[in-house]
Amino acid sequence: MIIDEQAGTCRGLRCPYHSWTYSLEGVLKHAPGLGDYSREELSGLGKDLLLVPCGVREGLIFVHLGDLANSPTLDAYLGNYISAVAAPHQTAQMIAVNQREYVLDSNWKLYVEVDMETLHTKHIHRGSIGGQPVTVPVSEGSWIGVYHESEHTPALYPGEQDSGFPHTSGLTGAAAKGAHFSILLPGFFLVTAQDVMWWIHKIPDSATRTRVRVGYSFPASTIERPDFDEVSKRYYQRLDQVIEEDDWITEHQQKGLNRSAPGSYLPEEHVVHRLDNWILDQVLGA
């Protein structure tokens, strides 16, 4: 049974093929064609459903589909990400309001790399971001990131940064002074700013195709504002433009790689170098 729905709530899981219905714990409750079976007999048939471990940290839901025996715990995987980024940015207050999915003709690693360097922002994003100096916070666990300190939100055009939403209530430390751009390895990019959170999940379909899932979130108090629909459009316009610019250059970069175009790391790409070494460690062994 594979059901791929983007969002929703339910009291059970129903297979669309034969309409067998399971509880949220994976116990078979109703099975057309097995009307003579007792509830106990039906539940015995449902024990083979796959148990998928999951965990919630600061409003973020993590699902594990791999081999638990050879995997770190969720807290070990996240390391200090929750204490250093998610908790100070109050991600538990965030509610997703806009999501979309599409496919790029690019290797997924290229689209992860573009999020971890600012050398390109003054060129590719000259009209949407411009120069964006960053520092590198200490990261423990399976994440890396950069931090941009500014009293203004990075999620609006430079000329509109004073016309956005107020900062999220309860921000502390670095979260109150800027935005974290983080990769939860290998390919989940999460931006936590003073007023908004958005993410770009890069999922490889093949060596040259990547499924991209994009989503935007705001604090519940912001969504309740009477001007939310009007003001949020400014955020979507700015964020969508930046994403489209990265889409465009990443696909062109893939064309260059297909032709074995040479390249090298520059000093400003030291986080990209770290990211690529992490990937090599996972593939070849540390």
Side-chain angles (χ1 to χ4, degrees):
M1 176 176 63
I2 300 177
I3 302 176
D4 186 10
E5 300 290 347
Q6 292 188 2
T9 58
C10 63
R11 292 177 295 177
L13 304 173
R14 184 181 66 84
C15 175
Y17 190 25
H18 291 123
S19 203
W20 284 26
T21 304
Y22 297 81
S23 72
L24 297 181
E25 292 73 32
V27 178
L28 183 62
K29 294 294 187 181
H30 178 69
L34 296 176
D36 294 334
Y37 278 59
S38 67
R39 182 177 292 271
E40 290 73 21
E41 290 172 322
L42 289 177
S43 66
L45 295 175
K47 290 181 178 179
D48 290 333
L49 283 187
L50 177 65
L51 178 64
V52 180
C54 64
V56 180
R57 301 291 186 274
E58 290 297 322
L60 304 174
I61 302 174
F62 299 89
V63 178
H64 191 287
L65 300 178
D67 179 9
L68 279 177
N70 298 312
S71 301
T73 65
L74 176 58
D75 289 327
Y77 167 79
L78 293 173
N80 69 331
Y81 177 76
I82 298 300
S83 61
V85 179
H89 277 283
Q90 299 290 316
T91 58
Q93 294 190 37
M94 295 292 177
I95 297 177
V97 296
N98 196 320
Q99 299 183 66
R100 58 192 175 92
E101 181 175 332
Y102 56 94
V103 176
L104 278 185
D105 291 324
S106 166
N107 183 277
W108 69 275
K109 294 187 291 295
L110 299 180
Y111 205 26
V112 177
E113 291 174 352
V114 78
D115 295 324
M116 286 293 101
E117 57 98 336
T118 56
L119 183 65
H120 76 290
T121 59
K122 62 180 71 74
H123 308 292
I124 300 301
H125 304 305
R126 63 170 60 91
S128 54
I129 297 179
Q132 193 175 66
V134 298
T135 57
V136 182
V138 175
S139 60
E140 302 169 0
S142 297
W143 75 280
I144 57 176
V146 296
Y147 173 75
H148 173 62
E149 181 173 340
S150 173
E151 61 180 305
H152 300 294
T153 177
L156 291 173
Y157 290 116
E160 298 181 347
Q161 290 179 330
D162 293 324
S163 60
F165 295 123
H167 288 189
T168 303
S169 174
L171 296 185
T172 59
K177 300 177 182 179
H180 283 90
F181 300 78
S182 310
I183 294 286
L184 298 182
L185 298 165
F188 187 62
F189 179 55
L190 188 65
V191 183
T192 44
Q194 297 104 314
D195 53 347
V196 64
M197 177 177 77
W198 71 95
W199 67 91
I200 311 174
H201 194 187
K202 300 88 187 283
I203 306 168
D205 270 351
S206 71
T208 57
R209 285 174 62 85
T210 301
R211 272 186 298 132
V212 182
R213 292 175 178 167
V214 176
Y216 307 129
S217 298
F218 292 92
S221 58
T222 296
I223 297 172
E224 294 169 358
R225 291 170 58 96
D227 62 349
F228 176 75
D229 289 340
E230 176 185 355
V231 177
S232 62
K233 292 177 183 178
R234 303 172 195 163
Y235 286 81
Y236 302 147
Q237 183 179 8
R238 152 64 172 75
L239 297 174
D240 285 346
Q241 178 179 336
V242 172
I243 291 171
E244 289 168 5
E245 290 166 347
D246 281 336
D247 290 350
W248 169 78
I249 196 59
T250 301
E251 289 190 321
H252 274 268
Q253 188 180 9
Q254 180 65 55
K255 292 178 181 178
L257 292 178
N258 292 342
R259 294 170 176 81
S260 299
S264 61
Y265 295 104
L266 298 180
E268 289 184 61
E269 297 177 295
H270 58 95
V271 183
V272 174
H273 187 229
R274 178 183 170 190
L275 167 68
D276 291 344
N277 277 326
W278 180 90
I279 293 173
L280 287 174
D281 287 344
Q282 308 312 302
V283 175
L284 302 178

